[in-house]
Amino acid sequence: MSFIPFKTNKIAFESQHIRTPRDNEYLIFSRVTRQLQHAASCVDRRVVIEAVNANNELWTTLLADLSEPGNGLPDPIKAGLLSLAIFSIRQGHRVLAESASTDVLIDINLRMMKGLRGEVQP
């Protein structure tokens, strides 16, 4: 699996169907999560590094978006997502330092995907 940065891979997200911003977020989480799942069962350290790097880039992008003054999410949701972003990035660094597995990152991303699909119980 080869990672192409989100910034240079705009065309890969185009479709004949109209996607909402939420659909695009789900798609990106899905791709990165599959990368992490593959890395979890792979012995090639480079695959793990690429997957964690993709995940950190995703969460860094979300962190930047959440920090923008024009972000319309309610403050309590923003605060929770900011904390989750910081935790995910730190956990990614632990994985890179070989002191943690990708399991927590995968779990967080899967929960985010459920939330984006409205599958979360209140």
Side-chain angles (χ1 to χ4, degrees):
M1 202 177 238
S2 153
F3 172 71
I4 300 171
F6 303 122
K7 298 174 204 95
T8 60
N9 197 19
K10 249 183 169 174
I11 197 154
F13 297 116
E14 292 180 6
S15 171
Q16 292 178 355
H17 305 349
I18 296 174
R19 287 195 183 120
T20 66
R22 184 174 271 208
D23 292 336
N24 287 332
E25 290 170 352
Y26 182 92
L27 177 65
I28 294 168
F29 267 104
S30 176
R31 287 180 181 178
V32 170
T33 303
R34 278 195 311 270
Q35 242 183 309
L36 288 169
Q37 289 168 327
H38 174 69
S41 63
C42 189
V43 293
D44 185 349
R45 185 78 181 132
R46 191 189 80 206
V47 172
V48 175
I49 292 168
E50 288 174 354
V52 171
N53 183 53
N55 194 66
N56 281 353
E57 183 176 344
L58 169 60
W59 282 102
T60 300
T61 301
L62 289 172
L63 188 67
D65 183 61
L66 291 164
S67 301
E68 286 292 320
N71 185 296
L73 286 175
D75 287 341
I77 292 174
K78 264 198 281 195
L81 289 171
L82 285 167
S83 293
L84 195 55
I86 292 166
F87 175 84
S88 293
I89 293 166
R90 285 185 180 155
Q91 183 69 13
H93 290 283
R94 288 183 198 103
V95 173
L96 293 175
E98 298 186 46
S99 62
S101 76
T102 58
D103 294 347
V104 172
L105 298 174
I106 293 167
D107 185 54
I108 290 169
N109 287 3
L110 290 173
R111 290 173 188 261
M112 287 294 295
M113 291 165 62
K114 283 183 179 183
L116 289 166
R117 285 288 185 218
E119 298 173 11
V120 175
Q121 298 288 330

